[in-house]
Amino acid sequence: METRPWTSGQATRSAFIVPDGLRGRLAGRLMLRMNRQDEVAALLGVRPGERVLEIGYGPGGLVRRLTRTPAGRVCGVDPSPEMRAMAVKHAPRAELRLGSAADTGFGDAEFDCVVSVNSVALWPCLESGLDELRRVTRPGGRVLIAWHGGRRPPRVARRFRLPDDQLRRVEDGLRRRFADVTRRELTELTAFTARR
Ligand SMILES: C[S@@+](CC[C@H](N)C(=O)[O-])C[C@H]1O[C@@H](n2cnc3c(N)ncnc32)[C@H](O)[C@@H]1O
């Protein structure tokens, strides 16, 4: 599936951007093995009964973890039918839809937490995605956006790190829409947290 990420502005087709076909499924397996979601789940700190949305769930590693927390409802959107098929197998209790960061299909203020890992740099429009995140997050709710980086990025993921000006665009975009924006360097991810 071809897309034009805001970070490059160029039409791109890659098994890691919007995974499709056999290469997409292989990329999904690699993501399941490589993308460690423990720190993200800990930082999110889901409380009993909370409604959580993941944007760009890929093969479902994080949604699977989230269904093992005391969350009341775990939902996700991702534009890739291949990723949805994989994620549904890994997280059968989650409500996983096809959609995008800019158009999740969920209602206003429907979630207590919204999280996105290794997806933000792939969105065609950062601003539309952040607008939508704000719309679906309830007042006082939490947002977490993470991308490859951190204190010890694995060698294979180093080439995906974003330049500082693009990380600043994510941070500034969050500041225009949310409160308490904080940047943290996790082991393999740079993460921004914020509160609506
Ligand atoms: C590199 S994978 C990461 C998957 C998963 N979050 C993880 O950490 O393993 C990127 C995912 O973002 C999804 N994606 C691409 N464009 C998107 C968009 N505009 N909105 C939401 N998700 C998108 C892709 O389909 C893919 O599943």
Side-chain angles (χ1 to χ4, degrees), residues 56 103 110 156 166:
D103 184 10
E110 203 170 331
V156 287
Q166 294 189 337

Side-chain angles (χ1 to χ4, degrees), residues 47 50 111-113 137-143 178 194-196:
R47 301 168 197 142
E50 283 193 322
F111 295 98
D112 302 291
C113 301
T137 308
R138 72 158 168 83
R142 314 187 295 290
V143 165
F178 296 92
R195 187 174 50 78
R196 177 159 173 212

Side-chain angles (χ1 to χ4, degrees), residues 3 16-19 31-32 35 37 54-62 77-80 83 99-102 116-119 122-124 147-148:
T3 186
F16 289 92
I17 295 185
V18 180
M31 288 179 223
L32 268 183
N35 296 348
Q37 313 282 2
E54 184 181 6
I55 310 276
Y57 49 72
L62 182 58
V77 286
D78 193 293
S80 161
M83 290 300 98
S100 69
S116 186
V117 180
N118 292 341
S119 168
L122 313 177
W123 304 347
W147 183 257
H148 297 285

Side-chain angles (χ1 to χ4, degrees), residues 4-137:
R4 192 183 290 269
W6 66 271
T7 41
S8 70
Q10 289 177 354
T12 316
R13 194 188 174 102
S14 151
F16 289 92
I17 295 185
V18 180
D20 65 353
L22 176 63
R23 291 185 65 223
R25 288 194 293 281
L26 291 173
R29 281 198 209 159
L30 202 63
M31 288 179 223
L32 268 183
R33 249 193 295 144
M34 291 208 39
N35 296 348
R36 293 162 36 172
Q37 313 282 2
D38 314 24
E39 282 181 304
V40 172
L43 189 56
L44 207 55
V46 176
R47 301 168 197 142
E50 283 193 322
R51 302 153 300 168
V52 188
L53 173 68
E54 184 181 6
I55 310 276
Y57 49 72
L62 182 58
V63 274
R64 177 174 55 192
R65 284 197 79 90
L66 292 171
T67 57
R68 295 172 183 162
T69 67
R73 185 180 177 210
V74 177
C75 300
V77 286
D78 193 293
S80 161
E82 267 84 4
M83 290 300 98
R84 182 173 183 278
M86 285 184 84
V88 162
K89 279 194 205 143
H90 287 108
R93 288 175 40 223
E95 187 182 324
L96 302 174
R97 299 187 186 173
L98 291 176
S100 69
D103 184 10
T104 64
F106 288 98
D108 292 354
E110 203 170 331
F111 295 98
D112 302 291
C113 301
V114 179
V115 56
S116 186
V117 180
N118 292 341
S119 168
V120 66
L122 313 177
W123 304 347
C125 176
L126 174 65
E127 303 298 326
S128 319
L130 294 178
D131 281 345
E132 178 74 350
L133 259 65
R134 185 175 190 283
R135 186 186 69 77
V136 298
T137 308

